[in-house]
Short mmCIF file of all heavy atoms in Angstrom, two decimals:
data_model
loop_
_atom_site.label_atom_id
_atom_site.label_comp_id
_atom_site.label_asym_id
_atom_site.label_seq_id
_atom_site.Cartn_x
_atom_site.Cartn_y
_atom_site.Cartn_z
N MET C 191 17.93 -14.09 -16.40
CA MET C 191 16.87 -13.15 -16.05
C MET C 191 16.34 -12.54 -17.34
O MET C 191 17.07 -11.94 -18.11
CB MET C 191 17.44 -12.07 -15.13
CG MET C 191 16.38 -11.17 -14.58
SD MET C 191 16.98 -9.88 -13.49
CE MET C 191 17.25 -10.78 -11.99
N GLY C 192 15.06 -12.70 -17.54
CA GLY C 192 14.45 -12.21 -18.76
C GLY C 192 13.93 -10.79 -18.62
O GLY C 192 14.02 -10.15 -17.57
N VAL C 193 13.39 -10.32 -19.71
CA VAL C 193 12.85 -8.96 -19.76
C VAL C 193 11.66 -8.82 -18.81
O VAL C 193 11.52 -7.81 -18.12
CB VAL C 193 12.46 -8.61 -21.22
CG1 VAL C 193 11.79 -7.25 -21.27
CG2 VAL C 193 13.66 -8.67 -22.12
N ILE C 194 10.82 -9.86 -18.76
CA ILE C 194 9.64 -9.83 -17.87
C ILE C 194 10.08 -9.72 -16.41
O ILE C 194 9.47 -8.98 -15.64
CB ILE C 194 8.79 -11.10 -18.08
CG1 ILE C 194 8.36 -11.24 -19.51
CG2 ILE C 194 7.61 -11.11 -17.13
CD1 ILE C 194 7.13 -10.48 -19.91
N ASP C 195 11.14 -10.46 -16.04
CA ASP C 195 11.65 -10.40 -14.68
C ASP C 195 12.13 -8.99 -14.33
O ASP C 195 11.87 -8.48 -13.23
CB ASP C 195 12.81 -11.38 -14.48
CG ASP C 195 12.37 -12.82 -14.47
OD1 ASP C 195 11.19 -13.07 -14.15
OD2 ASP C 195 13.20 -13.68 -14.78
N ILE C 196 12.82 -8.37 -15.25
CA ILE C 196 13.35 -7.03 -15.01
C ILE C 196 12.22 -6.02 -14.87
O ILE C 196 12.21 -5.19 -13.96
CB ILE C 196 14.33 -6.62 -16.13
CG1 ILE C 196 15.58 -7.52 -16.09
CG2 ILE C 196 14.72 -5.15 -16.00
CD1 ILE C 196 16.50 -7.34 -17.26
N ILE C 197 11.23 -6.10 -15.77
CA ILE C 197 10.09 -5.17 -15.71
C ILE C 197 9.31 -5.35 -14.42
O ILE C 197 8.98 -4.37 -13.74
CB ILE C 197 9.20 -5.35 -16.95
CG1 ILE C 197 9.93 -4.89 -18.21
CG2 ILE C 197 7.88 -4.60 -16.78
CD1 ILE C 197 9.22 -5.20 -19.50
N CYS C 198 9.03 -6.60 -14.05
CA CYS C 198 8.30 -6.86 -12.81
C CYS C 198 9.10 -6.40 -11.59
O CYS C 198 8.54 -5.88 -10.63
CB CYS C 198 7.96 -8.34 -12.68
SG CYS C 198 6.66 -8.88 -13.79
N GLY C 199 10.40 -6.59 -11.63
CA GLY C 199 11.25 -6.13 -10.53
C GLY C 199 11.24 -4.63 -10.37
O GLY C 199 11.16 -4.10 -9.26
N ILE C 200 11.28 -3.91 -11.49
CA ILE C 200 11.24 -2.45 -11.45
C ILE C 200 9.89 -1.96 -10.92
O ILE C 200 9.83 -1.07 -10.07
CB ILE C 200 11.54 -1.86 -12.85
CG1 ILE C 200 13.01 -2.10 -13.19
CG2 ILE C 200 11.21 -0.37 -12.89
CD1 ILE C 200 13.37 -1.76 -14.62
N VAL C 201 8.80 -2.58 -11.40
CA VAL C 201 7.47 -2.20 -10.93
C VAL C 201 7.32 -2.52 -9.44
O VAL C 201 6.73 -1.75 -8.69
CB VAL C 201 6.37 -2.90 -11.77
CG1 VAL C 201 5.00 -2.65 -11.18
CG2 VAL C 201 6.43 -2.41 -13.20
N LEU C 202 7.90 -3.63 -9.00
CA LEU C 202 7.86 -4.00 -7.59
C LEU C 202 8.61 -2.99 -6.73
O LEU C 202 8.12 -2.58 -5.66
CB LEU C 202 8.44 -5.40 -7.41
CG LEU C 202 8.30 -6.05 -6.06
CD1 LEU C 202 6.84 -6.28 -5.73
CD2 LEU C 202 9.04 -7.37 -6.04
N ILE C 203 9.75 -2.55 -7.19
CA ILE C 203 10.52 -1.53 -6.46
C ILE C 203 9.75 -0.21 -6.41
O ILE C 203 9.68 0.43 -5.36
CB ILE C 203 11.91 -1.34 -7.10
CG1 ILE C 203 12.77 -2.58 -6.86
CG2 ILE C 203 12.61 -0.10 -6.56
CD1 ILE C 203 14.06 -2.59 -7.63
N LEU C 204 9.16 0.20 -7.53
CA LEU C 204 8.38 1.43 -7.56
C LEU C 204 7.17 1.36 -6.64
O LEU C 204 6.84 2.32 -5.93
CB LEU C 204 7.93 1.75 -8.98
CG LEU C 204 9.05 2.18 -9.95
CD1 LEU C 204 8.48 2.35 -11.35
CD2 LEU C 204 9.70 3.45 -9.48
N ALA C 205 6.49 0.20 -6.61
CA ALA C 205 5.34 0.03 -5.72
C ALA C 205 5.76 0.11 -4.26
O ALA C 205 5.08 0.72 -3.44
CB ALA C 205 4.63 -1.29 -6.01
N SER C 206 6.89 -0.50 -3.93
CA SER C 206 7.35 -0.45 -2.54
C SER C 206 7.74 0.97 -2.13
O SER C 206 7.44 1.39 -1.01
CB SER C 206 8.52 -1.41 -2.32
OG SER C 206 9.63 -1.02 -3.09
N ILE C 207 8.34 1.72 -3.02
CA ILE C 207 8.70 3.11 -2.72
C ILE C 207 7.43 3.94 -2.53
O ILE C 207 7.35 4.77 -1.61
CB ILE C 207 9.60 3.69 -3.83
CG1 ILE C 207 10.98 3.02 -3.78
CG2 ILE C 207 9.73 5.21 -3.70
CD1 ILE C 207 11.87 3.37 -4.95
N MET C 208 6.42 3.71 -3.37
CA MET C 208 5.17 4.46 -3.24
C MET C 208 4.45 4.13 -1.93
O MET C 208 3.87 5.02 -1.30
CB MET C 208 4.25 4.17 -4.43
CG MET C 208 4.74 4.76 -5.74
SD MET C 208 4.92 6.55 -5.69
CE MET C 208 3.24 7.06 -5.43
N VAL C 209 4.48 2.86 -1.50
CA VAL C 209 3.88 2.49 -0.22
C VAL C 209 4.59 3.21 0.92
O VAL C 209 3.95 3.76 1.83
CB VAL C 209 3.90 0.96 -0.01
CG1 VAL C 209 3.55 0.59 1.42
CG2 VAL C 209 2.93 0.28 -0.95
N ILE C 210 5.92 3.25 0.86
CA ILE C 210 6.69 3.94 1.90
C ILE C 210 6.34 5.42 1.93
O ILE C 210 6.15 6.02 3.00
CB ILE C 210 8.20 3.73 1.67
CG1 ILE C 210 8.57 2.27 1.93
CG2 ILE C 210 9.03 4.66 2.56
CD1 ILE C 210 9.97 1.91 1.50
N ILE C 211 6.22 6.04 0.77
CA ILE C 211 5.90 7.47 0.71
C ILE C 211 4.50 7.73 1.25
O ILE C 211 4.29 8.66 2.05
CB ILE C 211 6.03 7.98 -0.74
CG1 ILE C 211 7.49 8.03 -1.15
CG2 ILE C 211 5.39 9.36 -0.90
CD1 ILE C 211 7.72 8.32 -2.62
N LEU C 212 3.52 6.91 0.85
CA LEU C 212 2.15 7.11 1.34
C LEU C 212 2.04 6.90 2.84
O LEU C 212 1.34 7.65 3.53
CB LEU C 212 1.18 6.19 0.61
CG LEU C 212 0.80 6.60 -0.79
CD1 LEU C 212 -0.11 5.56 -1.43
CD2 LEU C 212 0.14 7.95 -0.80
N VAL C 213 2.73 5.91 3.37
CA VAL C 213 2.68 5.67 4.81
C VAL C 213 3.34 6.81 5.57
O VAL C 213 2.84 7.26 6.61
CB VAL C 213 3.34 4.31 5.16
CG1 VAL C 213 3.55 4.17 6.65
CG2 VAL C 213 2.48 3.18 4.64
N SER C 214 4.43 7.34 5.04
CA SER C 214 5.11 8.43 5.74
C SER C 214 4.35 9.75 5.64
O SER C 214 4.53 10.63 6.49
CB SER C 214 6.53 8.61 5.20
OG SER C 214 6.49 9.01 3.85
N MET C 215 3.46 9.89 4.65
CA MET C 215 2.66 11.11 4.53
C MET C 215 1.47 11.13 5.48
O MET C 215 0.92 12.20 5.75
CB MET C 215 2.15 11.27 3.09
CG MET C 215 3.22 11.66 2.11
SD MET C 215 2.63 11.69 0.41
CE MET C 215 1.35 12.91 0.47
N GLN C 216 1.08 9.96 5.99
CA GLN C 216 -0.08 9.90 6.87
C GLN C 216 0.27 10.47 8.25
O GLN C 216 1.41 10.37 8.70
CB GLN C 216 -0.56 8.46 7.03
CG GLN C 216 -1.09 7.89 5.76
CD GLN C 216 -1.48 6.43 5.91
OE1 GLN C 216 -1.59 5.92 7.01
NE2 GLN C 216 -1.67 5.77 4.79
N GLU C 217 -0.73 11.06 8.88
CA GLU C 217 -0.53 11.59 10.22
C GLU C 217 -0.47 10.44 11.21
O GLU C 217 -1.19 9.46 11.08
CB GLU C 217 -1.69 12.52 10.60
CG GLU C 217 -1.73 13.78 9.79
CD GLU C 217 -2.84 14.69 10.24
OE1 GLU C 217 -3.29 14.57 11.39
OE2 GLU C 217 -3.27 15.50 9.42
N SER C 218 0.40 10.58 12.20
CA SER C 218 0.48 9.53 13.20
C SER C 218 -0.72 9.61 14.13
O SER C 218 -1.21 10.68 14.45
CB SER C 218 1.78 9.66 14.00
OG SER C 218 1.78 10.87 14.72
N LYS C 219 -1.17 8.45 14.54
CA LYS C 219 -2.32 8.38 15.44
C LYS C 219 -1.80 8.29 16.88
O LYS C 219 -0.85 7.62 17.16
CB LYS C 219 -3.17 7.15 15.11
CG LYS C 219 -3.53 7.02 13.66
CD LYS C 219 -4.94 7.45 13.43
CE LYS C 219 -5.42 7.11 12.05
NZ LYS C 219 -4.97 7.89 10.99
N ARG C 220 -2.49 8.95 17.79
CA ARG C 220 -2.07 8.95 19.19
C ARG C 220 -3.19 8.37 20.04
O ARG C 220 -4.36 8.45 19.70
CB ARG C 220 -1.78 10.36 19.66
CG ARG C 220 -0.75 11.06 18.80
CD ARG C 220 0.42 11.46 19.64
NE ARG C 220 1.31 12.29 18.86
CZ ARG C 220 2.51 11.88 18.49
NH1 ARG C 220 2.93 10.70 18.81
NH2 ARG C 220 3.29 12.67 17.78
N GLY C 221 -2.83 7.83 21.16
CA GLY C 221 -3.83 7.37 22.12
C GLY C 221 -4.22 5.92 21.94
O GLY C 221 -3.76 5.23 21.03
N MET C 222 -5.07 5.46 22.84
CA MET C 222 -5.48 4.06 22.85
C MET C 222 -6.37 3.72 21.66
O MET C 222 -6.35 2.60 21.17
CB MET C 222 -6.23 3.75 24.15
CG MET C 222 -6.58 2.29 24.30
SD MET C 222 -5.15 1.22 24.26
CE MET C 222 -4.76 1.15 25.97
N SER C 223 -7.14 4.67 21.16
CA SER C 223 -8.04 4.35 20.05
C SER C 223 -7.26 4.00 18.79
O SER C 223 -7.73 3.24 17.96
CB SER C 223 -8.98 5.52 19.77
OG SER C 223 -8.26 6.63 19.32
N ALA C 224 -6.06 4.55 18.65
CA ALA C 224 -5.25 4.21 17.49
C ALA C 224 -4.76 2.77 17.58
O ALA C 224 -4.61 2.10 16.57
CB ALA C 224 -4.07 5.16 17.38
N LEU C 225 -4.52 2.29 18.78
CA LEU C 225 -4.06 0.91 18.94
C LEU C 225 -5.17 -0.09 18.63
O LEU C 225 -4.91 -1.16 18.11
CB LEU C 225 -3.55 0.68 20.37
CG LEU C 225 -2.30 1.45 20.76
CD1 LEU C 225 -1.98 1.21 22.22
CD2 LEU C 225 -1.13 1.03 19.90
N THR C 226 -6.39 0.25 18.96
CA THR C 226 -7.50 -0.66 18.73
C THR C 226 -8.19 -0.42 17.41
O THR C 226 -9.09 -1.16 17.04
CB THR C 226 -8.54 -0.52 19.87
OG1 THR C 226 -9.02 0.83 19.89
CG2 THR C 226 -7.94 -0.89 21.20
N GLY C 227 -7.82 0.61 16.70
CA GLY C 227 -8.41 0.90 15.40
C GLY C 227 -9.65 1.75 15.48
O GLY C 227 -10.30 1.99 14.48
N GLY C 228 -10.00 2.23 16.65
CA GLY C 228 -11.20 3.04 16.80
C GLY C 228 -10.96 4.48 16.39
O GLY C 228 -9.86 4.99 16.44
N GLN C 229 -12.04 5.12 15.96
CA GLN C 229 -11.96 6.52 15.57
C GLN C 229 -13.15 7.25 16.17
O GLN C 229 -14.17 6.65 16.49
CB GLN C 229 -11.99 6.67 14.05
CG GLN C 229 -10.80 6.07 13.38
CD GLN C 229 -10.90 6.22 11.88
OE1 GLN C 229 -11.92 6.62 11.35
NE2 GLN C 229 -9.85 5.89 11.19
N SER C 230 -13.02 8.55 16.27
CA SER C 230 -14.13 9.32 16.81
C SER C 230 -15.27 9.38 15.79
O SER C 230 -15.08 9.16 14.61
CB SER C 230 -13.69 10.73 17.16
OG SER C 230 -13.38 11.44 16.00
N GLU C 231 -16.45 9.72 16.27
CA GLU C 231 -17.62 9.75 15.39
C GLU C 231 -17.49 10.85 14.34
O GLU C 231 -17.91 10.69 13.20
CB GLU C 231 -18.88 9.97 16.22
CG GLU C 231 -20.15 9.83 15.41
CD GLU C 231 -21.39 9.91 16.28
OE1 GLU C 231 -21.32 9.50 17.44
OE2 GLU C 231 -22.39 10.41 15.77
N ALA C 232 -16.87 11.97 14.70
CA ALA C 232 -16.69 13.06 13.74
C ALA C 232 -15.78 12.64 12.60
O ALA C 232 -16.00 13.02 11.45
CB ALA C 232 -16.13 14.29 14.45
N VAL C 233 -14.77 11.86 12.90
CA VAL C 233 -13.87 11.39 11.85
C VAL C 233 -14.59 10.39 10.96
O VAL C 233 -14.45 10.41 9.75
CB VAL C 233 -12.60 10.77 12.47
CG1 VAL C 233 -11.75 10.12 11.40
CG2 VAL C 233 -11.80 11.82 13.21
N ASN C 234 -15.39 9.51 11.55
CA ASN C 234 -16.12 8.52 10.75
C ASN C 234 -17.12 9.17 9.81
O ASN C 234 -17.35 8.71 8.72
CB ASN C 234 -16.85 7.53 11.67
CG ASN C 234 -15.91 6.51 12.25
OD1 ASN C 234 -14.86 6.22 11.68
ND2 ASN C 234 -16.26 5.97 13.39
N ARG C 235 -17.72 10.25 10.25
CA ARG C 235 -18.74 10.92 9.44
C ARG C 235 -18.13 11.50 8.17
O ARG C 235 -18.72 11.46 7.11
CB ARG C 235 -19.41 12.01 10.28
CG ARG C 235 -20.59 12.63 9.60
CD ARG C 235 -21.37 13.57 10.51
NE ARG C 235 -20.52 14.44 11.29
CZ ARG C 235 -20.54 14.53 12.63
NH1 ARG C 235 -21.35 13.77 13.33
NH2 ARG C 235 -19.74 15.35 13.28
N ASN C 236 -16.93 12.05 8.26
CA ASN C 236 -16.27 12.66 7.10
C ASN C 236 -15.11 11.81 6.59
O ASN C 236 -14.22 12.32 5.93
CB ASN C 236 -15.76 14.06 7.47
CG ASN C 236 -16.88 15.02 7.73
OD1 ASN C 236 -17.91 14.96 7.08
ND2 ASN C 236 -16.69 15.89 8.69
N TYR C 237 -15.13 10.53 6.88
CA TYR C 237 -13.97 9.68 6.59
C TYR C 237 -13.64 9.65 5.10
O TYR C 237 -12.49 9.67 4.72
CB TYR C 237 -14.23 8.27 7.11
CG TYR C 237 -13.04 7.37 6.98
CD1 TYR C 237 -11.93 7.53 7.78
CD2 TYR C 237 -13.01 6.36 6.02
CE1 TYR C 237 -10.84 6.71 7.66
CE2 TYR C 237 -11.93 5.53 5.89
CZ TYR C 237 -10.85 5.71 6.71
OH TYR C 237 -9.76 4.90 6.58
N GLY C 238 -14.62 9.58 4.25
CA GLY C 238 -14.37 9.45 2.82
C GLY C 238 -13.85 10.71 2.17
O GLY C 238 -13.37 10.68 1.05
N ARG C 239 -13.91 11.83 2.84
CA ARG C 239 -13.55 13.10 2.21
C ARG C 239 -12.22 13.67 2.68
O ARG C 239 -11.74 14.64 2.13
CB ARG C 239 -14.64 14.12 2.49
CG ARG C 239 -15.93 13.76 1.81
CD ARG C 239 -16.94 14.83 2.05
NE ARG C 239 -18.04 14.20 2.79
CZ ARG C 239 -18.96 14.84 3.43
NH1 ARG C 239 -18.94 16.14 3.47
NH2 ARG C 239 -19.92 14.21 4.06
N THR C 240 -11.64 13.12 3.70
CA THR C 240 -10.43 13.72 4.25
C THR C 240 -9.19 13.28 3.48
O THR C 240 -9.19 12.25 2.81
CB THR C 240 -10.26 13.34 5.73
OG1 THR C 240 -10.11 11.93 5.84
CG2 THR C 240 -11.43 13.82 6.55
N ARG C 241 -8.15 14.06 3.61
CA ARG C 241 -6.88 13.76 2.95
C ARG C 241 -6.30 12.47 3.50
O ARG C 241 -5.78 11.64 2.75
CB ARG C 241 -5.91 14.92 3.17
CG ARG C 241 -4.53 14.69 2.62
CD ARG C 241 -3.63 15.89 2.92
NE ARG C 241 -2.26 15.56 2.73
CZ ARG C 241 -1.44 15.17 3.69
NH1 ARG C 241 -1.85 15.09 4.92
NH2 ARG C 241 -0.19 14.89 3.42
N ASP C 242 -6.40 12.31 4.81
CA ASP C 242 -5.86 11.11 5.43
C ASP C 242 -6.61 9.87 4.96
O ASP C 242 -6.01 8.81 4.78
CB ASP C 242 -5.93 11.24 6.96
CG ASP C 242 -5.06 10.21 7.65
OD1 ASP C 242 -3.93 9.98 7.16
OD2 ASP C 242 -5.50 9.65 8.66
N ALA C 243 -7.90 9.99 4.73
CA ALA C 243 -8.69 8.84 4.25
C ALA C 243 -8.24 8.45 2.85
O ALA C 243 -8.16 7.25 2.53
CB ALA C 243 -10.17 9.18 4.26
N MET C 244 -7.93 9.42 2.02
CA MET C 244 -7.45 9.12 0.67
C MET C 244 -6.08 8.44 0.73
O MET C 244 -5.80 7.53 -0.04
CB MET C 244 -7.39 10.38 -0.17
CG MET C 244 -8.76 10.91 -0.55
SD MET C 244 -8.71 12.25 -1.73
CE MET C 244 -7.92 13.54 -0.78
N LEU C 245 -5.24 8.90 1.67
CA LEU C 245 -3.93 8.28 1.82
C LEU C 245 -4.06 6.83 2.31
O LEU C 245 -3.33 5.95 1.85
CB LEU C 245 -3.06 9.08 2.79
CG LEU C 245 -2.58 10.44 2.28
CD1 LEU C 245 -1.86 11.20 3.38
CD2 LEU C 245 -1.68 10.27 1.08
N VAL C 246 -4.99 6.59 3.22
CA VAL C 246 -5.21 5.23 3.73
C VAL C 246 -5.72 4.33 2.61
O VAL C 246 -5.25 3.20 2.44
CB VAL C 246 -6.19 5.25 4.92
CG1 VAL C 246 -6.65 3.85 5.27
CG2 VAL C 246 -5.57 5.92 6.13
N LYS C 247 -6.65 4.84 1.82
CA LYS C 247 -7.19 4.05 0.71
C LYS C 247 -6.10 3.76 -0.32
O LYS C 247 -5.99 2.63 -0.82
CB LYS C 247 -8.35 4.79 0.04
CG LYS C 247 -9.06 3.98 -1.01
CD LYS C 247 -10.16 4.76 -1.67
CE LYS C 247 -11.35 4.82 -0.75
NZ LYS C 247 -12.53 5.41 -1.42
N GLY C 248 -5.30 4.76 -0.65
CA GLY C 248 -4.19 4.55 -1.58
C GLY C 248 -3.17 3.56 -1.07
O GLY C 248 -2.64 2.75 -1.83
N THR C 249 -2.90 3.62 0.24
CA THR C 249 -1.97 2.68 0.84
C THR C 249 -2.50 1.25 0.76
O THR C 249 -1.75 0.32 0.45
CB THR C 249 -1.70 3.06 2.31
OG1 THR C 249 -1.21 4.40 2.37
CG2 THR C 249 -0.69 2.13 2.94
N LYS C 250 -3.79 1.08 1.01
CA LYS C 250 -4.38 -0.25 0.92
C LYS C 250 -4.30 -0.80 -0.50
O LYS C 250 -3.95 -1.96 -0.72
CB LYS C 250 -5.83 -0.23 1.38
CG LYS C 250 -6.00 -0.06 2.86
CD LYS C 250 -7.46 -0.01 3.24
CE LYS C 250 -7.63 0.26 4.72
NZ LYS C 250 -9.05 0.33 5.09
N ILE C 251 -4.60 0.05 -1.47
CA ILE C 251 -4.57 -0.39 -2.87
C ILE C 251 -3.15 -0.73 -3.30
O ILE C 251 -2.90 -1.78 -3.90
CB ILE C 251 -5.19 0.69 -3.78
CG1 ILE C 251 -6.68 0.80 -3.52
CG2 ILE C 251 -4.92 0.39 -5.26
CD1 ILE C 251 -7.34 1.99 -4.18
N LEU C 252 -2.19 0.14 -2.97
CA LEU C 252 -0.80 -0.12 -3.35
C LEU C 252 -0.22 -1.33 -2.63
O LEU C 252 0.59 -2.06 -3.20
CB LEU C 252 0.06 1.12 -3.08
CG LEU C 252 0.13 2.11 -4.22
CD1 LEU C 252 0.89 3.35 -3.81
CD2 LEU C 252 0.77 1.49 -5.44
N THR C 253 -0.63 -1.55 -1.39
CA THR C 253 -0.16 -2.72 -0.66
C THR C 253 -0.70 -4.00 -1.30
O THR C 253 0.03 -4.99 -1.42
CB THR C 253 -0.59 -2.64 0.82
OG1 THR C 253 -0.10 -1.43 1.38
CG2 THR C 253 -0.04 -3.81 1.61
N ALA C 254 -1.95 -3.98 -1.75
CA ALA C 254 -2.51 -5.14 -2.44
C ALA C 254 -1.78 -5.39 -3.75
O ALA C 254 -1.46 -6.54 -4.09
CB ALA C 254 -4.00 -4.94 -2.69
N ILE C 255 -1.49 -4.32 -4.50
CA ILE C 255 -0.74 -4.45 -5.75
C ILE C 255 0.65 -5.01 -5.48
O ILE C 255 1.13 -5.90 -6.19
CB ILE C 255 -0.67 -3.09 -6.48
CG1 ILE C 255 -2.04 -2.71 -7.01
CG2 ILE C 255 0.37 -3.13 -7.60
CD1 ILE C 255 -2.12 -1.29 -7.54
N PHE C 256 1.30 -4.50 -4.43
CA PHE C 256 2.63 -4.98 -4.05
C PHE C 256 2.59 -6.47 -3.71
O PHE C 256 3.45 -7.25 -4.15
CB PHE C 256 3.14 -4.16 -2.87
CG PHE C 256 4.47 -4.61 -2.34
CD1 PHE C 256 5.63 -4.26 -3.00
CD2 PHE C 256 4.56 -5.36 -1.19
CE1 PHE C 256 6.87 -4.67 -2.53
CE2 PHE C 256 5.78 -5.77 -0.71
CZ PHE C 256 6.94 -5.43 -1.38
N PHE C 257 1.58 -6.88 -2.94
CA PHE C 257 1.45 -8.28 -2.55
C PHE C 257 1.23 -9.18 -3.76
O PHE C 257 1.89 -10.22 -3.91
CB PHE C 257 0.29 -8.41 -1.56
CG PHE C 257 0.05 -9.79 -1.06
CD1 PHE C 257 0.93 -10.39 -0.18
CD2 PHE C 257 -1.07 -10.50 -1.46
CE1 PHE C 257 0.72 -11.68 0.28
CE2 PHE C 257 -1.29 -11.79 -1.00
CZ PHE C 257 -0.40 -12.38 -0.13
N ILE C 258 0.32 -8.79 -4.63
CA ILE C 258 0.02 -9.60 -5.82
C ILE C 258 1.22 -9.66 -6.76
O ILE C 258 1.56 -10.71 -7.30
CB ILE C 258 -1.23 -9.04 -6.54
CG1 ILE C 258 -2.46 -9.27 -5.67
CG2 ILE C 258 -1.41 -9.67 -7.92
CD1 ILE C 258 -3.69 -8.53 -6.14
N LEU C 259 1.88 -8.52 -6.92
CA LEU C 259 3.05 -8.47 -7.80
C LEU C 259 4.19 -9.33 -7.25
O LEU C 259 4.92 -9.97 -8.02
CB LEU C 259 3.50 -7.03 -7.98
CG LEU C 259 4.51 -6.75 -9.08
CD1 LEU C 259 3.95 -7.20 -10.42
CD2 LEU C 259 4.84 -5.29 -9.12
N THR C 260 4.34 -9.37 -5.94
CA THR C 260 5.37 -10.22 -5.34
C THR C 260 5.10 -11.68 -5.64
O THR C 260 6.01 -12.45 -5.97
CB THR C 260 5.42 -9.99 -3.82
OG1 THR C 260 5.68 -8.61 -3.57
CG2 THR C 260 6.51 -10.82 -3.18
N ILE C 261 3.84 -12.09 -5.54
CA ILE C 261 3.47 -13.47 -5.86
C ILE C 261 3.71 -13.77 -7.34
O ILE C 261 4.24 -14.83 -7.70
CB ILE C 261 2.01 -13.75 -5.45
CG1 ILE C 261 1.89 -13.70 -3.93
CG2 ILE C 261 1.53 -15.09 -6.00
CD1 ILE C 261 0.48 -13.77 -3.42
N VAL C 262 3.36 -12.83 -8.21
CA VAL C 262 3.55 -13.02 -9.65
C VAL C 262 5.04 -13.16 -9.98
O VAL C 262 5.43 -14.05 -10.75
CB VAL C 262 2.91 -11.86 -10.44
CG1 VAL C 262 3.34 -11.88 -11.90
CG2 VAL C 262 1.40 -11.92 -10.33
N VAL C 263 5.87 -12.31 -9.40
CA VAL C 263 7.31 -12.38 -9.64
C VAL C 263 7.86 -13.72 -9.15
O VAL C 263 8.70 -14.35 -9.81
CB VAL C 263 8.04 -11.20 -8.98
CG1 VAL C 263 9.54 -11.41 -8.98
CG2 VAL C 263 7.70 -9.91 -9.69
N SER C 264 7.38 -14.19 -8.01
CA SER C 264 7.82 -15.48 -7.47
C SER C 264 7.43 -16.62 -8.40
O SER C 264 8.23 -17.53 -8.65
CB SER C 264 7.21 -15.68 -6.10
OG SER C 264 7.50 -16.95 -5.60
N ILE C 265 6.22 -16.58 -8.93
CA ILE C 265 5.76 -17.63 -9.85
C ILE C 265 6.55 -17.58 -11.16
O ILE C 265 6.96 -18.62 -11.69
CB ILE C 265 4.25 -17.49 -10.11
CG1 ILE C 265 3.48 -17.85 -8.84
CG2 ILE C 265 3.80 -18.37 -11.27
CD1 ILE C 265 2.00 -17.55 -8.91
N ILE C 266 6.80 -16.38 -11.66
CA ILE C 266 7.58 -16.25 -12.91
C ILE C 266 8.99 -16.78 -12.71
O ILE C 266 9.52 -17.49 -13.57
CB ILE C 266 7.59 -14.78 -13.38
CG1 ILE C 266 6.21 -14.38 -13.91
CG2 ILE C 266 8.64 -14.57 -14.45
CD1 ILE C 266 6.09 -12.91 -14.25
N ASP C 267 9.61 -16.47 -11.57
CA ASP C 267 10.95 -16.97 -11.30
C ASP C 267 10.98 -18.48 -11.20
O ASP C 267 11.95 -19.12 -11.62
CB ASP C 267 11.49 -16.36 -10.01
CG ASP C 267 12.20 -15.04 -10.24
OD1 ASP C 267 12.41 -14.68 -11.40
OD2 ASP C 267 12.55 -14.38 -9.25
N LYS C 268 9.93 -19.05 -10.64
CA LYS C 268 9.91 -20.51 -10.46
C LYS C 268 9.81 -21.24 -11.80
O LYS C 268 10.43 -22.27 -11.98
CB LYS C 268 8.72 -20.89 -9.57
CG LYS C 268 8.67 -22.35 -9.26
CD LYS C 268 7.59 -22.68 -8.27
CE LYS C 268 7.62 -24.17 -7.95
NZ LYS C 268 6.65 -24.50 -6.93
N PHE C 269 9.03 -20.69 -12.73
CA PHE C 269 8.81 -21.39 -13.99
C PHE C 269 9.76 -20.97 -15.12
O PHE C 269 9.71 -21.56 -16.19
CB PHE C 269 7.35 -21.22 -14.44
CG PHE C 269 6.39 -21.95 -13.58
CD1 PHE C 269 5.47 -21.28 -12.81
CD2 PHE C 269 6.41 -23.32 -13.51
CE1 PHE C 269 4.57 -21.94 -12.01
CE2 PHE C 269 5.52 -24.02 -12.72
CZ PHE C 269 4.59 -23.33 -11.95
N THR C 270 10.59 -19.99 -14.90
CA THR C 270 11.54 -19.58 -15.94
C THR C 270 12.97 -19.91 -15.55
O THR C 270 13.88 -19.16 -15.82
CB THR C 270 11.42 -18.06 -16.23
OG1 THR C 270 11.69 -17.35 -15.03
CG2 THR C 270 10.09 -17.70 -16.80
N VAL C 271 13.16 -21.05 -14.94
CA VAL C 271 14.50 -21.46 -14.50
C VAL C 271 15.35 -21.85 -15.62
O VAL C 271 15.39 -22.06 -16.64
CB VAL C 271 14.41 -22.64 -13.50
CG1 VAL C 271 15.76 -23.16 -13.15
CG2 VAL C 271 13.65 -22.21 -12.29
#
C-alpha cells in the first residue's frame, strides 16, 4: 500500500463522514410528496436560499466527490499491484 493509497483512503473516509453528517442535519420530509419528490410552491420559490437547500446541494456535491474518489481508489489499487 503506497502513500497515494493511504491519502485517498483517508480522503474517502472523511468524505463519507461528511456525507453522513450532512444527511443527518437535514430535516426529515413527511407525507406523500416527500416520497414522490414533490415540494410545495412556497418551498420552490425560496429553494435556493434556505438552509435545507444548501444542505441538499452540499450533500449532492459530496456524494459526487465520494463516488468519483471511490472509482479513483479502485483504479489505483488495480494498477499498483
